[in-house]
């Protein structure tokens, strides 16, 4: 044979592209392997020797001027979703009675226009696009194995809807009903079958009619050369993969007269021009710049850097509740005392606060007042001496619980004080109150997290 190295890997290949899929171009070369192909590429015998010239075995032109090998070899460049009609479709749609859908009438008009222009340019290679009947039937009747007596399993039946090409797919004429956009009363089976992530998908098949020279247009001679699927995320699936440096693929026909065909699939999409690449680069740069500005607007410009050598303390807290007190209508007055040396706070900073007056609620044997009062403050410590003997004094939080009686008189129910932790992270501590209660607190230093304070 003329070709001995074949590509046997017919699995899928997945690519990702940011370019529009309409720029995709494939070159498909189809050739039938015969003895004449082998003789055609052999060098002629040297003159002067008593040998028969191999040129005498080459096929001669017919009366119409066409060589027979023109029907045995074909090469064509196909674009994405480009419709190339087969001889079967040409014969079918020329009969107006065979047209049923608007797409059939559109194909009929295109075929009649091609006939007026001299006929279609392709002979054996043709395509089925995403809207053709073949694509719908191929997806709904897809078999999982090559066994003749295959029985769909439970998983196959449940995953059948996952292979839908797109969410707004059309129904098939006379076969499958058009899907409804809204299902007002979904059944349990409908929910199970549709509880999947379905990415819209478009499919295209590149086909070949491998029938005898004078018997083109029969369905039994159609063979799939390549299947392409593209989803909305720019993922391109090709089965089989582009030929590239690999050998060509082979097809052996069945029947009494078995024939061998070889074909190659190459990506011949045009490369972007330098001007287009530069324009695309500017567009992406502008897009990323706008996105950065948008994120900056969300973050804001209120952040400021800490002075070198200074410690910045952030405290975010919440007075949650108080319980175990004798009287009702409780409120809490608290303030933070900063050491007099090396500590400071912003001028607008409030280092004290008063909660709202809260009525108590019975919880078991105790009465609880729920405040849920948040507070926050910040302070700075600046000291040049960083030795271990010069540890700073730390701020102290003082709290006072008061009550309001029927005559609008204020009573002090208890006092308490707690020193803020010197290390960042959560920690717990209790300080005595006048009624033997305390404060449970959590503080983060250098953070802006919410800090719960629970009075018990």
């Amino acid at each position: 044979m003329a070709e001995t190295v074949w590509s046997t890997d017919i699995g899928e290949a997945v690519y990702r592209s940011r370019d529009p899929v309409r720029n995709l171009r494939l070159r498909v070369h189809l050739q039938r392997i015969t003895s004449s192909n082998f003789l055609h590429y052999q060098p002629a015998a040297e003159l002067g020797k008593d040998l028969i010239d191999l040129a005498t075995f080459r096929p001669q032109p017919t009366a119409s001027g066409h060589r027979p090998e023109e029907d045995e070899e074909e090469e064509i460049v196909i674009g994405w979703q480009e419709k190339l009609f087969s001889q079967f479709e040409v014969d079918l749609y020329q009969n107006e009675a065979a047209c049923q859908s608007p797409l059939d009438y559109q194909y009929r008009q295109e075929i009649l226009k091609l006939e007026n222009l001299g006929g279609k340019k392709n002979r054996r290679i043709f395509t089925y696009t995403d809207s053709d009947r073949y694509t719908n039937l191929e997806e709904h009747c897809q078999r999982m194995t090559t066994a003749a007596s295959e029985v769909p399993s439970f998983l196959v039946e449940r995953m059948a809807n996952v292979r839908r090409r797109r969410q707004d797919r059309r129904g098939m004429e006379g076969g499958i009903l058009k899907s409804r956009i809204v299902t007002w009363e979904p059944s349990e089976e409908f929910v199970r079958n549709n509880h999947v992530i379905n990415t819209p998908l478009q499919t295209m098949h590149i086909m070949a009619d491998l029938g005898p020279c004078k018997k083109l247009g029969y369905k039994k001679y159609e063979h799939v050369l390549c299947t392409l699927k593209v989803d909305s995320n720019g993922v391109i699936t090709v089965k089989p993969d582009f030929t590239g440096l690999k050998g060509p693929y082979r097809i052996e026909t069945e029947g009494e007269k078995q024939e061998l065909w070889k074909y190659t699939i190459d990506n011949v999409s045009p490369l972007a021009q330098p001007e287009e690449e530069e324009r695309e680069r500017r567009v992406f740069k502008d897009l990323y710049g706008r996105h950065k500005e948008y994120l900056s607007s969300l973050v804001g410009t209120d952040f400021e850097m800490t002075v070198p050598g200074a410690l910045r303390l952030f405290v975010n807290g919440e007075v949650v509740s108080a319980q175990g007190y004798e009287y009702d209508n409780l409120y809490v007055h608290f303030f933070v005392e900063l050491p007099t040396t090396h500590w400071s706070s912003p001028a607008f900073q409030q280092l004290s606060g008063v909660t709202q007056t809260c009525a108590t609620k019975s919880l078991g044997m105790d009465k609880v007042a729920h405040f849920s009062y948040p507070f926050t403050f910040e302070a700075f410590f600046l000291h040049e001496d960083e030795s271990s003997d010069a540890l700073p004094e730390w701020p102290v939080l003082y709290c006072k619980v008061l009550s309001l009686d029927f005559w609008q008189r204020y009573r002090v129910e208890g006092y308490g004080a707690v020193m803020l932790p010197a290390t960042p992270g959560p920690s717990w501590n209790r300080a005595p109150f006048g009624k033997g209660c305390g404060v449970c607190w959590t503080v983060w230093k250098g953070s802006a997290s919410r800090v719960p304070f629970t009075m018990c």
Side-chain angles (χ1 to χ4, degrees):
M1 303 300 292
E3 188 70 50
T4 58
V5 180
W6 302 98
S7 178
T8 58
D9 184 7
I10 57 174
E12 293 183 349
V14 181
Y15 301 91
R16 182 181 292 273
S17 175
R18 294 187 302 179
D19 294 333
V21 68
R22 64 176 179 269
N23 296 331
L24 180 64
R25 295 291 184 276
L26 300 180
R27 181 176 63 229
V28 181
H29 181 267
L30 177 67
Q31 183 180 8
R32 185 165 72 95
I33 303 301
T34 61
S35 58
S36 61
N37 297 129
F38 176 77
L39 296 176
H40 178 74
Y41 294 104
Q42 297 299 317
E46 297 181 6
L47 299 178
K49 292 187 177 181
D50 191 13
L51 297 175
I52 300 177
D53 190 356
L54 291 177
T56 58
F57 294 98
R58 296 176 183 172
Q60 301 297 323
T62 60
S64 60
H66 297 280
R67 292 183 177 271
E69 65 264 19
E70 293 181 359
D71 193 65
E72 299 176 353
E73 183 176 3
E74 185 177 3
E75 181 176 296
I76 192 168
V77 177
I78 304 174
W80 172 248
Q81 296 297 335
E82 180 181 353
K83 179 61 179 176
L84 299 179
F85 296 99
S86 63
Q87 188 62 41
F88 174 81
E89 293 175 315
V90 172
D91 299 337
L92 176 65
Y93 293 125
Q94 283 182 348
N95 182 11
E96 188 174 359
C99 300
Q100 301 177 1
S101 64
L103 183 63
D104 295 344
Y105 285 99
Q106 177 185 344
Y107 283 169
R108 170 179 166 79
Q109 297 297 327
E110 294 178 3
I111 289 174
L112 294 178
K113 184 178 180 180
L114 289 175
E115 293 295 330
N116 295 333
L117 296 177
K120 60 187 183 70
K121 303 302 180 182
N122 60 303
R123 289 184 56 81
R124 294 185 177 273
I125 301 177
F126 61 98
T127 61
Y128 285 131
T129 61
D130 189 67
S131 302
D132 289 332
R133 291 193 186 97
Y134 177 87
T135 306
N136 290 271
L137 292 172
E138 179 70 16
E139 293 185 358
H140 283 86
C141 304
Q142 185 176 2
R143 302 176 65 88
M144 305 303 295
T145 66
T146 57
S149 59
E150 175 187 341
V151 178
S153 63
F154 177 80
L155 179 60
V156 172
E157 293 177 353
R158 286 295 181 264
M159 296 296 292
N161 289 334
V162 180
R163 294 193 295 268
R164 291 181 299 175
R165 292 177 289 114
R166 56 190 184 277
Q167 295 174 348
D168 56 345
R169 62 177 302 133
R170 310 171 189 171
M172 293 167 42
E173 298 82 9
I176 301 175
L177 297 177
K178 295 183 178 180
S179 60
R180 292 174 294 176
I181 298 178
V182 178
T183 303
W184 297 106
E185 297 180 358
S187 61
E188 294 183 2
E189 183 178 1
F190 177 84
V191 173
R192 287 196 303 268
N193 293 337
N194 292 273
H195 193 66
V196 292
I197 299 177
N198 183 24
T199 304
L201 195 71
Q202 285 188 316
T203 308
M204 178 180 179
H205 300 276
I206 301 176
M207 311 289 294
D209 189 344
L210 305 182
C213 179
K214 297 182 180 180
K215 294 185 179 180
L216 298 180
Y218 290 87
K219 281 286 186 178
K220 62 180 180 179
Y221 295 127
E222 292 184 0
H223 292 267
V224 180
L225 300 182
C226 181
T227 301
L228 296 97
K229 298 180 181 180
V230 179
D231 63 14
S232 58
N233 298 324
V235 177
I236 304 174
T237 305
V238 184
K239 181 181 180 180
D241 192 9
F242 301 127
T243 305
L245 301 178
K246 300 180 295 184
Y249 299 104
R250 61 185 294 171
I251 298 178
E252 295 183 7
T253 59
E254 300 178 354
E256 298 179 357
K257 187 180 179 181
Q258 294 185 353
E259 295 181 335
L260 180 62
W261 295 79
K262 72 172 184 178
Y263 68 96
T264 59
I265 307 170
D266 297 307
N267 180 17
V268 293
S269 303
L271 299 178
Q273 300 297 326
E275 297 80 6
E276 297 179 356
E277 293 182 354
E278 181 63 26
R279 182 168 59 254
E280 183 179 0
R281 192 179 299 108
R282 290 197 302 267
V283 169
F284 276 107
K285 183 178 180 180
D286 182 67
L287 175 63
Y288 294 148
R290 291 177 181 271
H291 186 65
K292 183 179 179 181
E293 293 177 0
Y294 170 72
L295 295 179
S296 300
S297 64
L298 296 179
V299 174
T301 58
D302 297 335
F303 291 95
E304 57 179 298
M305 297 298 296
T306 305
V307 179
L311 172 65
R312 192 170 187 177
L313 176 66
F314 289 91
V315 176
N316 294 316
E318 179 184 6
V319 180
V320 178
S321 63
Q323 75 179 61
Y325 293 93
E326 181 179 359
Y327 294 98
D328 199 355
N329 298 328
L330 301 176
Y331 68 95
V332 178
H333 182 201
F334 61 91
F335 67 95
V336 178
E337 182 186 24
L338 296 179
T340 56
T341 56
H342 308 298
W343 281 93
S344 62
S345 62
F348 61 87
Q349 182 69 65
Q350 294 289 337
L351 296 179
S352 63
V354 179
T355 67
Q356 74 278 11
T357 301
C358 182
T360 60
K361 179 180 180 181
S362 297
L363 183 62
M365 300 297 294
D366 296 328
K367 293 183 178 181
V368 182
H370 297 278
F371 300 105
S372 298
Y373 184 87
F375 65 91
T376 180
F377 69 89
E378 60 178 300
F380 299 91
F381 175 79
L382 181 60
H383 188 41
E384 298 180 356
D385 188 1
E386 298 182 359
S387 62
S388 58
D389 298 334
L391 293 178
E393 298 181 23
W394 211 247
V396 179
L397 175 65
Y398 294 94
C399 298
K400 180 171 62 173
V401 181
L402 302 96
S403 62
L404 182 65
D405 65 2
F406 177 78
W407 302 100
Q408 300 297 315
R409 293 178 300 185
Y410 298 94
R411 293 184 295 265
V412 177
E413 301 291 339
Y415 296 93
V418 62
M419 183 175 293
L420 299 181
T423 57
S427 62
W428 296 87
N429 194 3
R430 301 180 63 88
F433 268 66
K435 293 292 184 177
C437 299
V439 177
C440 302
W441 46 265
T442 304
V443 179
W444 282 265
K445 180 175 64 177
S447 172
S449 304
R450 189 180 182 188
V451 181
F453 279 73
T454 303
M455 291 194 175
C456 49

